[in-house]
Amino acid sequence: MTDNEQNSIKETLHFLAESGLVTLGLGSVKITHKGIIEYEDAILNPHDHTELFPLDTIQSVSTESKKEQIRTIQRQRSEFLDEALRLSGGNPMQPVSDSDIESARGYNHSLVERIHFFCQDAGLIQPFATGGKFTLTPAGIRQAQEDPIS
């Protein structure tokens, strides 16, 4: 990799970090909740450019396969919340376990963990105890009762 390419990558990462889409660590980059939302929206709506993703960039990566992957994870997030609502009986004080959702939905642990953190970052659930237990927030209950989450 040339020095120009390295500098271009650094500039891009710093721009994304300043925009709140990623956080930078020692040798690592983590996409933020805001970054996930922005990315999904850009891929699912490639004709609506954003300030951060120019139209030509969006259209070059927005494939039907990528759109289907995003719709699948959005559906799985909704199912996670639906199951949490069912298991809690709609009670925001009733803890729910990730492992109970894994069993009920047939999801693997890695998927449930990613959805858990997405929902936590979105303010839809809050940690209850160690070991993957959480409670639904009022916003999470409303979301589970309404449209699929994105």
Side-chain angles (χ1 to χ4, degrees):
M1 183 177 301
T2 68
D3 286 344
N4 283 344
E5 290 170 327
Q6 287 180 348
N7 287 335
S8 177
I9 290 171
K10 285 179 186 178
E11 287 174 14
T12 300
L13 288 174
H14 286 289
F15 171 76
L16 292 172
E18 289 171 3
S19 300
L21 302 183
V22 300
T23 57
L24 304 175
L26 287 174
S28 67
V29 178
K30 179 185 175 206
I31 190 167
T32 63
H33 181 78
K34 179 181 176 183
I36 292 169
I37 298 298
E38 183 81 14
Y39 173 78
E40 289 179 356
D41 189 47
I43 296 297
L44 292 176
N45 302 297
H47 301 294
D48 300 335
H49 76 286
T50 70
E51 185 177 314
L52 301 172
F53 297 114
L55 189 57
D56 60 336
T57 302
I58 296 169
Q59 290 179 337
S60 70
V61 297
S62 182
T63 64
E64 284 306 313
S65 172
K66 187 59 70 179
K67 288 179 184 180
E68 188 53 38
Q69 287 175 336
I70 291 170
R71 285 192 283 273
T72 296
I73 190 64
Q74 289 177 342
R75 178 183 45 78
Q76 290 167 328
R77 290 178 197 146
S78 290
E79 291 171 354
F80 175 97
L81 282 180
D82 289 346
E83 193 62 34
L85 183 66
R86 186 187 70 77
L87 291 169
S88 71
N91 180 352
M93 302 300 287
Q94 178 63 45
V96 177
S97 169
D98 282 350
S99 61
D100 289 340
I101 293 177
E102 288 172 24
S103 298
R105 290 292 176 171
Y107 292 162
N108 67 50
H109 178 72
S110 176
L111 174 63
V112 169
E113 187 175 59
R114 285 192 322 267
I115 294 172
H116 176 115
F117 287 120
F118 178 93
C119 290
Q120 186 174 317
D121 288 347
L124 302 174
I125 65 173
Q126 59 187 10
F128 177 77
T130 58
K133 288 193 176 189
F134 63 90
T135 56
L136 285 166
T137 64
I141 291 171
R142 278 191 307 277
Q143 187 66 58
Q145 294 169 337
E146 295 173 0
D147 298 319
I149 62 174
S150 57

